Amino acid sequence: MTVTRRPEEQAVTFHASEASKRQSKRAAHAAFTAHIEHLCRTDPGARAALRAGLRRDLDHPRTRPMHRLLTPRLPDGCDNTTAQAHYTVAALIAAQPRHAFSPDQADDENTPDEHEAADKQALRKKEEPGEEVAPPGPAPYGTSFGATLGQAVTAKGKPMRMSAAESRINLLARQSLRGIHLHLPAAVNQVRTTGTSIDWGQLLADLIDWQYQPGRISRRWLQDFYRITAGADQD
């Protein structure tokens, strides 16, 4: 006998499936970026090879040493756009100053990202007696690069000037797929001077999806930026 589920049951199943896919992708992106940070921290030669691929496309002669390091870490059967996103993020991580790879950081490339850890911690909490509480799903996104630029403006010490950050976020928001790969290194350098951390896994996800949804991603970056910088000094 065929059982027909009600529309609301189908919707719950669909959203649960989508949430599971997002969490799986986020974990894969976090594992990739953690591996690159581990590689850069422990192998200066690998770090130099990855750094040489900055602003280079997949077929550029300078990226050839990267193939040995990154190919085993790429998703099975991924297209060139997905591969390029991984190469760009790997090069951005490698191009950071040496002190960015703190020796005090846990040297475990399988460590989950902070968002996944928070999700698991929330799921482990017991329900209050007599109260039914639905377990929270994973957050749909990590920290966007727009939010990161906003945090650089509000950082203590040597923050990024609001006018410079605003120009940078607007420049990034109107870029083509090729353009976003070319302009990110300068933006990342500006952010790093303020000591603001970057969610590499979310940046990787956004670069992968940029070819399909540049408007949605750039809008989220802009909204996150202005949400954080609301009330900041306009220099």
Side-chain angles (χ1 to χ4, degrees):
M1 181 178 63
T2 302
V3 178
T4 303
R5 289 182 296 181
R6 291 177 296 178
E8 57 268 27
E9 293 176 332
Q10 294 176 349
V12 169
T13 301
F14 172 78
H15 288 303
S17 176
E18 288 300 304
S20 178
K21 289 179 182 178
R22 285 198 305 269
Q23 193 171 25
S24 178
K25 286 183 178 180
R26 189 165 62 195
H29 296 155
F32 174 80
T33 57
H35 170 72
I36 297 304
E37 289 180 315
H38 166 80
L39 200 59
C40 291
R41 188 165 57 248
T42 60
D43 188 337
R47 177 170 170 255
L50 294 174
R51 188 172 60 241
L54 205 63
R55 297 188 181 90
R56 314 291 188 186
D57 60 35
L58 297 175
D59 297 325
H60 194 281
R62 296 291 296 276
T63 65
R64 288 172 185 164
M66 300 176 73
H67 300 323
R68 176 180 62 85
L69 299 169
L70 300 184
T71 300
R73 292 280 170 170
L74 296 178
D76 291 339
C78 72
D79 58 16
N80 286 344
T81 299
T82 300
Q84 184 68 69
H86 284 76
Y87 277 55
T88 292
V89 169
L92 288 170
I93 293 173
Q96 296 177 100
R98 184 173 300 177
H99 63 75
F101 305 102
S102 172
D104 297 328
Q105 185 176 352
D107 195 17
D108 181 3
E109 61 190 67
N110 294 318
T111 300
D113 71 347
E114 60 182 355
H115 305 290
E116 184 185 4
D119 294 337
K120 291 181 178 179
Q121 184 178 9
L123 290 173
R124 285 196 298 266
K125 289 184 178 179
K126 296 182 179 179
E127 298 178 358
E128 294 294 331
E131 181 180 355
E132 294 185 0
V133 180
Y141 305 110
T143 303
S144 75
F145 193 70
T148 299
L149 276 169
Q151 291 166 359
V153 171
T154 59
K156 295 181 180 180
K158 295 182 179 180
M160 191 173 176
R161 290 189 300 119
M162 177 63 182
S163 59
E166 191 170 26
S167 296
R168 182 63 64 182
I169 187 64
N170 279 289
L171 175 65
L172 293 174
R174 60 175 180 264
Q175 292 304 312
S176 63
L177 180 60
R178 177 60 178 156
I180 194 69
H181 285 269
L182 291 174
H183 285 279
L184 267 174
V188 167
N189 285 341
Q190 288 180 297
V191 166
R192 292 299 304 179
T193 61
T194 70
T196 303
S197 61
I198 297 171
D199 187 337
W200 297 114
Q202 185 57 51
L203 183 58
L204 174 57
D206 286 344
L207 287 180
I208 292 172
D209 291 341
W210 196 275
Q211 63 174 328
Y212 306 112
Q213 300 174 318
R216 178 185 63 81
I217 296 170
S218 60
R219 170 174 55 82
R220 180 160 53 84
W221 285 19
L222 287 163
Q223 289 177 335
D224 288 348
F225 174 79
Y226 285 113
R227 189 177 296 114
I228 290 175
T229 57
D233 292 337
Q234 301 290 321
D235 49 19

